[in-house]
Amino acid sequence: MKESQTWIGKPVSRVDGYAKVTGAARYAAEFKSDGLVYGVVVSSDVTKGKILKIDSRSALACDGVIEVITHENRPKVSFWNRKFGDQDSPPGDHFRALYDSEVYYSGQPVALVIAETFEAARYAAKLVVITYELEEYETDFHSRLEEAYAPKETKPGFEKPKSRGDADEAFSQAPHKISAEYDSPTQHHNPMEMHATTVVYEGDDTYTIYDKTQGTANSQAYVCQVFGLSPKKVRVRAPFVGGAFGSGLRPQYQLYLAVMAAKKLQRSVRVVLTRQQMFSFGHRPASVQTVKLSAGEDGVLHSVGHSVTAETSQLEDYMENVVSWSGMLYKCENVEVKHELVKADIFTPLDMRAPGATSGLFALESAMDELSYEIGMDPLELRLANYTEKDQNYFGRSFSSKELRACYEQGAAKFGWSKRALKPRSLREGKKWIGQGVATGVWDALHMKSTASAEFTSKGELKITSGVTDIGTGTYTILTQIAAETLGLNLENVTTSIGDTDFTPAPLQGGSWTAGSMGSATQAACFAVREKIFKLAKKLPDSPFSDAELSDVLFEGGEMLLKKDPSRSVSLNDVLKSSRVDSVKAEGTSAPNYLKELPHARNTHSAVFAEVKVDADFGMIEVSRVVVAVAAGKILNPKTARSQILGGVVWGMSQALFEETVTDHRLGRILNHSFAEYHIPVNRDVPEIDVIFVPEADSIVNELGVKGLGEIGIVGTAAAVANAVFHATGKRVRNLPIRPDKMV
Ligand code: MOS
């Protein structure tokens, strides 16, 4: 690599930005096909029971209505083995839409109406009359806490909580202690783009599927399994995804229903879910957590206890890492952690931006704040007193890199933390109490096996392709930057095409692993192309490179040049032309090097500082300022990186103050399944957010030293806001969101 980089680390604007703002970027529901028909989903309006009868006569009598598919007349599917999963399925019997007469949850898809127009299908969907036999249900896991259990089988990626030492004994002996219960509500992913699938029927039982997904390969494998199709007959594309946040990690029922209809009718079919139906296939689970902390006079932790009980469905055991962070974030010999589930008559929860850490860190970091007041110590000092350079969850292994201390320092300096009064309820401006809070964030820096393909043509164009999606995080842009950097080209000469199972296989886009993993794969592909071009150049008559090694040359400005004599150069396309080669192509793979990576904890970290103003009369809370300092390895693009953090911080504010899915447990139905009533921050609610990227060199996480940013912005933010609310008012709210009625 060159000393200074041309594209990597530069605030390049999104390469797909123009296509997005002009509408040229097409999303799953926007692809056209001759003879396309439209499917509208009929959702169950009962919460549990059996379908006795479906009367489709009035629906079928409507002009343009083609078919009403139900469990009674659906085509054959090979769900013979309910254990077959997808790349993100938890253990259990997976949900099968329109499989039989069972209704497991309110909003379950029970029929699909297909018509020549969307309007006809939507109208007819209201005319389908379904008779149910009702059964008893319980949608509120809180009323079944005594049934909590620890599942034996867990999902890959779930870390079994590991306790150490004797937390009970240490707690009983410690001079300072707190024990508190924290409540997090259910939340639903609500990306702007609703889940949608357009299946283009290509004839001969062959399908091109435009799906809203975070994993084209995942959707393809699912469709092939369920419908017994060969992957050769199923191509899945997702060139653009309008946000997903985890909702596209599993193949969702609109995909299944659209393919089923296309297969049955041998026609192209589109199914788009409504905003209300976006609340019917997975969510961040509601949970109850208990945190017990104890410490000495110096603030040094004597014990950490963290247990969580979370909701799951009757079908599957969904688990996420809620408590494991509490064993690794601070130095402590006595840790007791526990994770249990309670079954309710709801759909299975689903990974949602920083799954587990978002709720777990709210509890832990609120509790740390409570402990700081109990000791009478500055909350930032308390965290520094317990700083650890070792991951005690894993036998004290070291971190691949950890600049959290610098995050605390730089964030505090920018925020002006040292000027903060220790005492709560001590700063007032007119009618408003002002408070300041801090919290720590931590997330994984995961490395997933990824492949990309690079092709350089004699016209001087570089084409990057991969199956990976861009859910809005900036993947197109960073892959383009990395490719241009590696071959020394301008961005204009690089075209990145992704989200297609015809391209090289890629993992799900999620877990913040895409930038590091796919970026490294893209770099590897470009290195391989470089080597091929270099070999061609060496063989040219009178080549200035005949005696050179690859390490003796630089790739810059579309040319290859000798480091020790840069006047000796040749343009890359000339190399191809002179060699009579149209293009040079190579694949690159990046995969975890376990020997190198596993001996280290690999994490991103953040320090979040928030200021709030709380109306003394009405309890309205306004976040007036946020400073977040993030350590996430190498930053590929400070502009798109900052956007990721802004989005995360706004969501953390949302978690703290606004967001909750409200269920009427008598009916078992969600009450606020619309943007009118599912509250999220609007621009007016969002203050100035200062994002600091703390430099962090990491030669272990992956080839690029990039740790990923999709999730670290949300973690810690809710606790920082909640802690600021306490500092402002002296009132501790432990059940989110902190609505005004909880303040007065
Ligand atoms: Mo994220 S929950 O890995 O999309």
Side-chain angles (χ1 to χ4, degrees):
M1 273 278 144
K2 289 167 292 182
E3 313 265 292
S4 73
Q5 303 203 305
T6 311
W7 301 117
I8 292 181
K10 295 295 162 5
V12 170
S13 292
R14 283 171 187 265
V15 297
D16 52 335
Y18 187 80
K20 281 189 170 175
V21 298
T22 56
R26 293 217 184 278
Y27 294 82
E30 297 180 315
F31 286 89
K32 296 196 171 79
S33 171
D34 287 339
L36 181 72
V37 295
Y38 300 80
V40 166
V41 177
V42 180
S43 308
S44 163
D45 47 21
V46 305
T47 299
K48 195 174 181 170
K50 279 194 176 46
I51 300 170
L52 294 179
K53 191 166 165 257
I54 299 186
D55 183 349
S56 307
R57 284 171 301 178
S58 318
L60 286 167
C62 292
D63 268 0
V65 172
I66 299 164
E67 178 74 279
V68 178
I69 304 183
T70 70
H71 67 280
E72 289 167 338
N73 66 354
R74 63 164 169 78
K76 257 200 164 44
V77 287
S78 25
F79 270 126
W80 56 272
N81 178 0
R82 295 194 73 172
K83 300 293 176 198
F84 85 68
D86 59 77
Q87 290 177 30
D88 193 41
S89 51
D93 292 338
H94 311 304
F95 173 65
R96 304 172 291 184
L98 310 194
Y99 188 76
D100 54 24
S101 61
E102 291 291 323
V103 175
Y104 295 97
Y105 70 103
S106 171
Q108 173 177 321
V110 285
L112 183 74
V113 178
I114 300 144
E116 300 287 349
T117 65
F118 168 68
E119 289 76 9
R122 188 173 57 175
Y123 177 72
K126 299 211 185 315
L127 303 180
V128 177
V129 182
I130 306 178
T131 320
Y132 301 92
E133 179 186 296
L134 301 184
E135 287 168 24
E136 295 278 309
Y137 52 81
E138 180 56 78
T139 50
D140 186 5
F141 85 108
H142 293 94
S143 61
R144 283 183 175 169
L145 290 178
E146 74 285 353
E147 292 172 21
Y149 63 98
K152 284 191 189 64
E153 199 193 337
T154 55
K155 200 169 118 171
F158 178 76
E159 286 180 44
K160 272 225 158 81
K162 278 183 287 195
S163 301
R164 59 177 177 263
D166 190 340
D168 275 351
E169 175 63 16
F171 187 84
S172 68
Q173 303 290 330
H176 294 290
K177 58 191 89 175
I178 61 110
S179 174
E181 198 174 279
Y182 303 87
D183 242 303
S184 318
T186 297
Q187 296 182 342
H188 277 87
H189 320 74
N190 269 289
M192 273 208 284
E193 180 200 19
M194 264 86 72
H195 274 250
T197 303
T198 302
V199 180
V200 176
Y201 183 62
E202 312 275 12
D204 191 26
D205 216 16
T206 303
Y207 309 86
T208 301
I209 302 171
Y210 297 92
D211 187 33
K212 182 198 174 101
T213 177
Q214 288 171 253
T216 50
N218 196 27
S219 293
Q220 182 194 41
Y222 180 81
V223 165
C224 290
Q225 283 192 83
V226 174
F227 296 102
L229 292 164
S230 148
K232 289 195 194 78
K233 300 209 160 211
V234 178
R235 176 185 183 188
V236 176
R237 300 189 61 193
F240 291 95
V241 181
F245 313 111
S247 64
L249 288 173
R250 299 189 71 182
Q252 300 298 5
Y253 65 74
Q254 92 287 340
L255 166 68
Y256 167 81
L257 294 179
V259 175
M260 177 182 268
K263 204 167 159 43
K264 180 162 182 164
L265 303 173
Q266 303 278 288
R267 287 183 76 164
S268 297
V269 178
R270 172 180 302 157
V271 177
V272 185
L273 300 188
T274 62
R275 181 56 66 187
Q276 294 195 343
Q277 287 166 340
M278 290 298 288
F279 289 74
S280 67
F281 56 83
H283 58 273
R284 193 192 298 285
S287 68
V288 180
Q289 303 177 58
T290 304
V291 183
K292 290 170 77 171
L293 301 176
S294 69
E297 301 294 346
D298 52 2
V300 169
L301 286 167
H302 289 190
S303 68
V304 173
H306 191 171
S307 61
V308 61
T309 308
E311 64 184 4
T312 192
S313 67
Q314 300 289 358
L315 294 175
E316 295 166 311
D317 284 338
Y318 172 84
M319 289 180 98
E320 54 188 17
N321 295 322
V322 178
V323 298
S324 49
W325 317 100
S326 296
M328 63 118 53
L329 195 50
Y330 301 108
K331 191 170 185 304
C332 187
E333 300 309 322
N334 303 298
V335 172
E336 189 163 324
V337 280
K338 197 168 85 176
H339 193 137
E340 290 186 325
L341 297 180
V342 169
K343 285 197 178 295
D345 296 302
I346 55 173
F347 194 72
T348 307
L350 175 60
D351 292 319
M352 180 159 153
R353 206 170 195 174
T358 296
S359 46
L361 268 284
F362 161 68
L364 175 68
E365 288 299 288
S366 294
M368 284 295 280
D369 200 64
E370 299 203 37
L371 181 65
S372 77
Y373 288 100
E374 154 65 26
I375 303 173
M377 192 172 178
D378 178 273
L380 182 55
E381 289 297 315
L382 176 66
R383 286 165 175 86
L384 287 166
N386 292 288
Y387 197 85
T388 180
E389 301 289 359
K390 303 281 180 203
D391 172 12
Q392 289 177 287
N393 274 352
Y394 283 90
F395 317 106
R397 64 181 176 177
S398 57
F399 287 85
S400 64
S401 60
K402 181 180 176 182
E403 295 294 345
L404 175 58
R405 197 185 290 278
C407 292
Y408 289 137
E409 286 164 5
Q410 294 182 28
K414 183 96 193 197
F415 188 80
W417 184 262
S418 61
K419 297 195 284 286
R420 173 184 180 271
L422 205 54
K423 214 165 97 55
R425 208 176 172 88
S426 56
L427 189 58
R428 187 160 165 159
E429 245 179 43
K431 278 184 161 306
K432 286 173 181 170
W433 292 106
I434 298 175
Q436 299 174 332
V438 65
T440 314
V442 58
W443 185 245
D444 293 317
L446 296 165
H447 192 182
M448 305 295 272
K449 186 178 180 195
S450 303
T451 55
S453 169
E455 180 178 17
F456 184 75
T457 72
S458 57
K459 292 195 181 106
E461 303 289 328
L462 176 63
K463 295 179 198 162
I464 303 298
T465 52
S466 169
V468 76
T469 56
D470 181 344
I471 55 176
T473 46
T475 308
Y476 272 105
T477 309
I478 56 135
L479 297 188
T480 305
Q481 286 175 266
I482 291 164
E485 187 76 54
T486 312
L487 274 161
L489 301 173
N490 280 324
L491 295 179
E492 295 73 40
N493 300 118
V494 182
T495 318
T496 300
S497 307
I498 55 176
D500 191 334
T501 51
D502 275 4
F503 299 147
T504 53
L508 290 166
Q509 178 173 35
S512 299
W513 60 62
T514 306
S517 308
M518 276 308 308
S520 295
T522 301
Q523 188 186 48
C526 294
F527 276 143
V529 164
R530 238 160 70 143
E531 195 167 341
K532 286 187 174 177
I533 301 175
F534 176 71
K535 281 187 178 151
L536 291 176
K538 268 175 87 86
K539 284 190 280 184
L540 292 178
D542 303 322
S543 171
F545 307 102
S546 51
D547 298 326
E549 300 290 326
L550 184 58
S551 58
D552 299 329
V553 302
L554 279 181
F555 288 77
E556 228 174 67
E559 297 185 323
M560 186 191 302
L561 29 98
L562 269 181
K563 280 183 191 165
K564 57 179 184 219
D565 181 5
S567 69
R568 313 208 54 185
S569 66
V570 57
S571 79
L572 301 185
N573 33 347
D574 280 349
V575 175
L576 267 66
K577 280 185 207 146
S578 309
S579 314
R580 296 175 188 282
V581 167
D582 287 336
S583 81
V584 169
K585 196 171 173 177
E587 269 187 25
T589 298
S590 175
N593 175 339
Y594 290 111
L595 285 176
K596 190 170 151 193
E597 294 169 28
L598 281 190
H600 300 274
R602 289 143 288 135
N603 294 90
T604 52
H605 291 93
S606 70
V608 194
F609 297 82
E611 182 183 84
V612 299
K613 297 184 176 172
V614 185
D615 188 290
D617 296 325
F618 300 109
M620 298 289 290
I621 301 163
E622 151 195 1
V623 179
S624 45
R625 216 151 56 87
V626 175
V627 174
V628 54
V630 177
K634 181 187 284 178
I635 302 304
L636 290 165
N637 180 333
K639 191 174 184 179
T640 52
R642 178 172 176 272
S643 295
Q644 280 305 296
I645 300 300
L646 292 182
V649 168
V650 171
W651 206 343
M653 283 174 47
S654 186
Q655 181 197 1
L657 303 179
F658 298 96
E659 202 170 331
E660 67 181 315
T661 300
V662 181
T663 298
D664 180 337
H665 294 298
R666 289 167 308 172
L667 301 170
R669 285 174 72 76
I670 293 169
L671 289 172
N672 60 341
H673 48 181
S674 74
F675 273 162
E677 291 173 275
Y678 186 85
H679 289 178
I680 53 173
V682 296
N683 272 327
R684 175 65 185 80
D685 299 312
V686 178
E688 195 55 38
I689 299 168
D690 248 312
V691 182
I692 300 167
F693 289 111
V694 171
E696 188 177 62
D698 196 313
S699 56
I700 293 164
V701 277
N702 49 52
E703 293 85 336
L704 277 169
V706 166
K707 286 183 172 176
L709 290 161
E711 286 157 306
I712 188 64
I714 186 172
V715 217
T717 301
V721 172
N723 295 344
V725 169
F726 175 78
H727 185 240
T729 62
K731 185 164 170 89
R732 179 70 65 179
V733 178
R734 300 186 184 88
N735 58 336
L736 295 181
I738 309 173
R739 296 187 314 250
D741 59 294
K742 296 178 187 173
M743 292 305 301
V744 292

